[in-house]
Amino acid sequence: MKIKLLVSLLLSSLCAINFASALPFNDDMVDNQITTGQIMRPQPKGSVSKGSLEYKVDSKEAAQALTNPVPLTKASVLRGKRLFEVNCAACHGVIGKVHQPSVAGPLLGAPNLGDPLYHDRTEGSIYSTIHFGNVIMYPVGWKLSSAETWDIINYVRNVQQEKISLED
């Protein structure tokens, strides 16, 4: 009886050692880390996922030539306001009739986008800055969809031009 127990204990410990050595992760998981926007397995040859290339931009010049495909509606502006408050207000402050600068904004050099100085920028130029960043601003295009970026642009444009009232 003691021998059977000893043999089973020995076999289970050998299995546990083998199992434990495979636990952390595979080497291929370390060498082939995927980045945002990539998929884990390749797409079938000749396929394009729905909507993936609709507003895909590869350079600042291409982005600056874009025109806003999202109409300026109250729903878009409200979505843009929420996204701006989450992603942009930490540096740019709360924009609107009264600008409430953030604590970090003046230190980082983040401008008040409600200032008239920024009213003449094209929507493609704003898209390019959000997507690729600029001298001071880091790029956030990796975490926003194209539609979300355009919603933020609609919100900024609405604040600059006060076309749609959000007070209702």
Side-chain angles (χ1 to χ4, degrees):
M1 182 72 173
K2 287 184 179 182
I3 294 176
K4 283 185 180 179
L5 184 61
L6 186 61
V7 169
S8 65
L9 188 60
L10 180 65
L11 285 175
S12 63
S13 66
L14 286 174
C15 290
I17 290 170
N18 255 351
F19 180 70
S21 67
L23 276 181
F25 46 78
N26 256 331
D27 286 342
D28 62 339
M29 291 174 67
V30 174
D31 297 333
N32 298 326
Q33 290 293 318
I34 63 169
T35 59
T36 303
Q38 289 182 323
I39 55 175
M40 293 192 64
R41 67 181 107 110
Q43 295 175 332
K45 192 171 192 146
S47 71
V48 177
S49 58
K50 185 176 180 195
S52 68
L53 297 178
E54 191 174 356
Y55 294 104
K56 181 173 171 44
V57 289
D58 295 326
S59 68
K60 286 186 175 189
E61 293 76 25
Q64 290 176 350
L66 292 175
T67 56
N68 191 344
V70 178
L72 184 69
T73 63
K74 187 171 183 174
S76 172
V77 171
L78 287 172
R79 284 191 307 267
K81 180 180 181 185
R82 179 181 52 82
L83 289 163
F84 185 90
E85 289 170 352
V86 170
N87 295 290
C88 312
C91 295
H92 290 283
V94 177
I95 61 174
K97 291 180 181 176
V98 177
H99 178 246
Q100 299 170 359
S102 71
V103 175
L107 298 173
L108 298 174
N112 171 11
L113 298 176
D115 280 346
L117 178 65
Y118 298 99
H119 289 210
D120 62 345
R121 291 193 62 194
T122 65
E123 291 177 339
S125 175
I126 298 170
Y127 186 97
S128 172
T129 301
I130 293 170
H131 193 79
F132 295 105
N134 65 13
V135 177
I136 297 170
M137 182 175 153
Y138 68 94
V140 292
W142 60 270
K143 74 181 205 176
L144 296 170
S145 71
S146 183
E148 290 172 333
T149 303
W150 289 118
D151 285 339
I152 291 173
I153 293 168
N154 280 341
Y155 170 66
V156 170
R157 284 295 193 221
N158 188 64
V159 167
Q160 291 173 344
Q161 300 165 0
E162 297 182 30
K163 288 186 175 182
I164 298 173
S165 174
L166 302 178
E167 303 297 323
D168 310 279

